[in-house]
Amino acid sequence: MTRLCIAVGLLSVALLAFQLHLMQILSIVQWHHCGTMVVSVALLGFGAGGTALALFHARFLRHAAIAVPAFMILCGVSMAMAVPVAQLEGIRFDSLLLFVGWNELLKLAATYVILFLPFFFGALAITVVFTRHVNDAGVLYFANLAGSGAGALLAVASMWTAPPATLPAIDAVLPLAGAALMLPETHRTRWLGSLLTALGVAVVFTLAPNRLEVSQYKSLGRTMNLPEASITDERFSPYGLVQVVASPALRYAPGLSLSYGSTVPVVAGVFNNGDWLGPVPESTLFGRNGPLSFTTSALPYRMEPRTAALILKSG
């Protein structure tokens, strides 16, 4: 029972962490409101898992010793491959094109299926365990809830330490570790071969992840179309993926006055999850004679000394 509780706990950690990591990834490649799509995918996966158990109840319980580790391995493999496959050219969708044609809707449906599979297989493993060991439901439920809580903490902590594209593959190691605790005694060599193969897939996508393709309509996507544009710095955290882009054609002076007679200097731009944050602060922009001092946003700073002088004079 101890190994079973640990396996359920590890699987629960992975499923919750994977859900939060998918939210961040969809916020990067699309927009933050697409992150709620992950909640519907997770609920669909668990609902479908319960439905499959209801339809094949007797068969799953009769072969539970084989079904549970098999579902855990399938959960780990599909978890590691979910984002790389969903980012392929023929599958990757763009939310702003969903109402343009059927092609994008089919891509969205394919993405749903790919992201659905880890939750489906994980739910099957958990529901089979709960149904077979119904007399120990209290202990198993504690392991499930404790694992889910730990998964939320792990998800936030891992966002500080690993690039977003690698996080699902890292999550995939946990179901595989749970499966290792549940391997049946029969055909041990075959089971170990399957487990090591699945682990190899997770390691490959951890060490060599695919680059996240940002929507062409996001600020970052449009900026990368500028001549010689390149990402010069990149930082990741639970607050998002911050990237610095440099290009000889990238300049910043919104609402510049016609009285400014100098050349607008080249600046680097800062983006968070693909959305424009602003230019990298430089004295050439913000100085007394810089281009930003000739914009309407400089008005409060110009008024401040005069306002202070009027207050002192009236006092």
Side-chain angles (χ1 to χ4, degrees):
M1 180 54 63
T2 301
R3 290 196 304 171
L4 184 61
C5 288
I6 294 175
V8 169
L10 290 174
L11 180 57
S12 302
V13 170
L15 289 171
L16 207 294
F18 179 64
Q19 184 175 346
L20 295 178
H21 290 154
L22 281 184
M23 288 182 179
Q24 188 188 49
I25 290 172
L26 281 176
S27 297
I28 294 171
V29 299
Q30 297 294 325
W31 280 269
H32 64 88
H33 53 265
C34 291
T36 56
M37 164 185 167
V38 180
V39 178
S40 65
V41 174
L43 291 175
L44 178 64
F46 272 82
T51 302
L53 179 64
L55 293 175
F56 305 102
H57 179 272
R59 182 175 299 178
F60 283 161
L61 292 185
R62 187 166 58 251
H63 303 287
I66 297 175
V68 171
F71 289 147
M72 287 186 175
I73 292 175
L74 290 172
C75 176
V77 172
S78 58
M79 195 175 286
M81 298 181 64
V83 173
V85 174
Q87 284 281 284
L88 293 175
E89 180 66 29
I91 299 176
R92 185 175 67 251
F93 75 98
D94 198 309
S95 58
L96 289 187
L97 298 177
L98 290 178
F99 301 100
V100 174
W102 287 101
N103 190 40
E104 290 297 320
L105 290 174
L106 292 176
K107 290 182 179 181
L108 176 62
T111 301
Y112 254 93
V113 172
I114 293 166
L115 302 184
F116 153 88
L117 289 176
F119 297 108
F120 174 69
F121 290 125
L124 273 176
I126 291 175
T127 52
V128 170
V129 168
F130 271 77
T131 305
R132 188 183 186 190
H133 301 275
V134 66
N135 294 330
D136 299 305
V139 178
L140 293 171
Y141 193 51
F142 173 81
N144 177 233
L145 287 182
S148 297
L153 297 176
L154 176 66
V156 174
S158 59
M159 289 178 190
W160 288 105
T161 56
T166 67
L167 293 175
I170 295 174
D171 297 333
V173 176
L174 297 176
L176 299 179
L181 296 174
M182 302 299 298
L183 291 183
E185 295 297 330
T186 57
H187 304 292
R188 195 77 173 179
T189 303
R190 295 181 183 178
W191 280 104
L192 287 175
S194 301
L195 186 63
L196 291 175
T197 302
L199 183 60
V201 172
V203 170
V204 167
F205 286 117
T206 300
L207 299 179
N210 291 5
R211 183 170 184 83
L212 296 178
E213 296 293 337
V214 179
S215 169
Q216 59 181 321
Y217 299 106
K218 297 195 81 170
S219 301
L220 178 62
R222 297 195 304 268
T223 304
M224 292 303 294
N225 291 328
L226 294 175
E228 300 179 35
S230 62
I231 298 175
T232 59
D233 197 7
E234 191 172 272
R235 307 290 175 86
F236 40 81
S237 75
Y239 300 105
L241 178 64
V242 177
Q243 296 166 302
V244 179
V245 177
S247 170
L250 185 57
R251 303 169 191 271
Y252 182 79
L256 184 64
S257 171
L258 295 176
S259 63
Y260 182 73
S262 301
T263 303
V264 178
V266 175
V267 297
V270 182
F271 299 82
N272 185 35
N273 285 350
D275 295 319
W276 170 263
L277 279 183
V280 175
E282 293 184 7
S283 59
T284 53
L285 282 178
F286 297 92
R288 181 69 179 178
N289 296 319
L292 292 189
S293 65
F294 286 79
T295 64
T296 53
S297 60
L299 180 61
Y301 301 97
R302 292 294 183 90
M303 292 178 62
E304 181 184 4
R306 300 182 184 181
T307 304
L310 288 174
I311 293 174
L312 291 173
K313 186 177 180 179
S314 62

